[in-house]
Amino acid sequence: RILDEKMNDYNRNMRQFHIARDERNERIAQGDAWNPGNSGSFLEKTRKVYYLIEVNMTLQEHIDNARNNNMELASIHSKEELDHILAVSKGQWSYIGAKRKHGVYNSSGNSSEWMWIDGSIWGSWESTRPPWGPEEPNNGYGHGLTEDAVVMNWGNMLGLWVDISPTVPHYAIYQVNYD
């Protein structure tokens, strides 16, 4: 029975993956990969504008898309930034610009394991620990995939982070310096 439930979950996830992939490919084919559909949201504290990119892409596709448009995935260093980006995300599951350091799997959630893609300092969070969801990060996806990327708003955990495979297509939050 447990095996049947796991297979049902896996099959449901694969169906969702294929639907998301087909939707993404259609939007990319229509030239829509860089249409954020909004004018962005400026945060004075960071002097950055944040955009929700409502196209399901893998982490690497988002990184490449952001760079092609002189942007990067969002890094988050404070509660104020988190709250602002949460509003931008509209509660959607969205990649942020964090990734696991190559080959490090200690589920600590700290700078020995994680880094910001934009090169900013992971340990600059204003509290002792970034807002990971319960029992996260856990590298717990299974099926041979490692969870080397970070998505916010997973399930009903608005604003909280979970580690996830970077090959799973999701929306993303991009940032660009305003100055």
Side-chain angles (χ1 to χ4, degrees):
R1 180 165 172 85
I2 291 173
L3 183 58
D4 288 341
E5 288 176 17
K6 288 188 179 219
M7 283 306 298
N8 286 338
D9 285 345
Y10 175 77
N11 289 333
R12 183 175 51 253
N13 287 339
M14 289 309 295
R15 279 192 303 277
Q16 290 173 342
F17 169 80
H18 289 289
I19 291 168
R21 184 196 60 203
D22 293 347
E23 173 194 282
R24 176 205 60 189
N25 290 343
E26 180 64 24
R27 289 186 74 178
I28 290 170
Q30 293 175 10
D32 220 6
W34 166 242
N35 181 2
N38 60 58
S39 59
S41 181
F42 177 72
L43 179 60
E44 180 67 39
K45 177 179 182 173
T46 62
R47 305 288 303 157
K48 294 179 180 176
V49 179
Y50 299 92
Y51 297 89
L52 171 63
I53 305 304
E54 297 181 80
V55 178
N56 286 306
M57 293 190 278
T58 66
L59 178 64
Q60 190 59 54
E61 289 169 330
H62 275 297
I63 291 169
D64 294 343
N65 190 49
R67 287 184 180 153
N68 288 339
N69 289 284
N70 299 313
M71 302 176 92
E72 54 204 358
L73 274 74
S75 58
I76 304 171
H77 303 279
S78 70
K79 176 83 167 94
E80 183 180 352
E81 286 175 271
L82 177 66
D83 290 344
H84 188 85
I85 290 169
L86 178 59
V88 170
S89 77
K90 303 182 212 170
Q92 297 293 318
W93 300 350
S94 304
Y95 280 117
I96 56 175
K99 68 178 186 176
R100 190 184 306 267
K101 292 180 179 177
H102 182 71
V104 180
Y105 297 101
N106 60 25
S107 296
S108 67
N110 66 29
S111 61
S112 69
E113 185 177 19
W114 295 91
M115 59 186 272
W116 290 114
I117 295 168
D118 69 4
S120 58
I121 299 171
W122 182 266
S124 61
W125 188 259
E126 62 190 18
S127 68
T128 57
R129 182 174 159 87
W132 290 104
E135 301 179 25
E136 295 290 343
N138 61 16
N139 196 37
Y141 189 73
H143 308 295
L145 298 175
T146 56
E147 295 184 336
D148 293 340
V150 177
V151 169
M152 64 183 292
N153 303 327
W154 187 263
N156 62 354
M157 297 188 293
L158 292 180
L160 297 181
W161 304 352
V162 299
D163 58 337
I164 190 167
S165 170
T167 62
V168 177
H170 285 293
Y171 292 178
I173 304 295
Y174 291 12
Q175 65 186 22
V176 64
N177 290 325
Y178 185 72
D179 297 328

